[in-house]
Amino acid sequence: MLSVPAKLIIRPDSGDPVQSTIFAVDMILEKLGYEYNQKGYKIAKGDKAGVILGDSVTPRVIQEVMSYLMENKISASMVNFGMGGALMTGDKTRDTYGFTMKCSAVCRDGSWYECFKMPKGSAFKTSLGGMFHVVKDMGFYHTTVNHTDEECDELQTVFKNGVIVRNETLTNIRNRLSSEIILGMSRTDKEAREVPTEVAQPC
């Protein structure tokens, strides 16, 4: 690797952000070897490897990682920090509501297979697998997996195989959202309580 005219960048993901970053830095220095820069701090041999942390970055995480580097005479250049949602929005991130978009199914030789992530050390980030569908029942939307009746599916294809098949404008999306919110507000508390949590017959 030392002879390759490129630099290896490792991005830890999931688990404790401080500990996973420290572990990645230590492994680089141990396995690849290290040298000292002009200020007397350790860098990867030939400056051929480093770490970027882009998950769960907060001021506290940055301070703890940098403190470890300083205490162990490791150059700060070994770690770069990405500006994720936590830095921009404080304590409100995509994880606040558990929302993210992942690949959930893959087609091979005409057959569909479930596809999901299951990060080691962060079981709560395990994603769902399968073909997802959204069905509407009594004014409420429900997500189902591997639903058989495509006519009931509220999801519409927008992008397929590199081609945009449905053009949308932000105005149209906002108008639809506003109408759904108004509809939801017009429902009585009694009606909301009577909506089943499991939809047996979505259509």
Side-chain angles (χ1 to χ4, degrees):
M1 193 180 86
L2 294 175
S3 62
V4 176
K7 185 172 184 176
L8 172 67
I9 301 298
I10 296 175
R11 181 188 183 276
D13 187 32
S14 302
D16 182 85
V18 175
Q19 295 304 316
S20 60
T21 302
I22 290 174
F23 176 79
V25 171
D26 287 344
M27 285 298 99
I28 288 175
L29 299 180
E30 177 184 332
K31 301 299 182 181
L32 188 62
Y34 60 87
E35 57 191 54
Y36 292 92
N37 62 16
Q38 293 180 345
K39 295 185 177 181
Y41 287 84
K42 298 175 186 175
I43 60 174
K45 193 170 183 179
D47 196 22
K48 287 292 186 176
V51 176
I52 182 170
L53 178 63
D55 187 43
S56 303
V57 179
T58 65
R60 177 192 64 80
V61 169
I62 295 175
Q63 290 173 357
E64 291 188 17
V65 171
M66 297 305 289
S67 293
Y68 176 84
L69 298 181
M70 291 290 290
E71 292 171 3
N72 291 273
K73 299 293 289 185
I74 300 173
S75 173
S77 65
M78 283 292 298
V79 179
N80 286 295
F81 298 94
M83 189 176 71
L87 280 179
M88 294 187 290
T89 61
D91 61 345
K92 299 294 187 295
T93 70
R94 69 178 189 181
D95 292 330
T96 302
Y97 297 102
F99 174 81
T100 185
M101 296 180 68
K102 305 287 183 185
C103 174
S104 63
V106 60
C107 183
R108 292 201 303 264
D109 299 325
S111 298
W112 284 95
Y113 299 87
E114 292 186 355
C115 181
F116 57 93
K117 63 177 283 187
M118 187 181 294
K120 182 178 180 181
S122 295
F124 73 96
K125 287 189 175 182
T126 299
S127 62
L128 296 176
M131 294 288 289
F132 294 116
H133 304 272
V134 175
V135 295
K136 192 173 184 179
D137 180 70
M138 298 179 66
F140 283 83
Y141 292 102
H142 303 267
T143 301
T144 65
V145 181
N146 301 327
H147 190 61
T148 56
D149 193 343
E150 294 185 1
E151 293 184 359
C152 298
D153 195 355
E154 296 288 334
L155 292 179
Q156 297 185 31
T157 302
V158 175
F159 186 80
K160 184 175 182 179
N161 297 331
V163 178
I164 297 177
V165 297
R166 178 185 174 90
N167 287 311
E168 281 285 6
T169 65
L170 185 57
T171 299
N172 288 340
I173 294 173
R174 284 173 171 168
N175 289 339
R176 283 203 306 272
L177 179 60
S178 296
S179 64
E180 292 291 343
I181 292 176
I182 293 174
L183 175 63
M185 292 175 63
S186 66
R187 298 170 61 85
T188 65
D189 290 340
K190 182 176 183 296
E191 288 175 320
R193 286 195 299 270
E194 291 176 349
V195 175
T197 56
E198 296 293 335
V199 183
Q201 299 294 331
C203 293

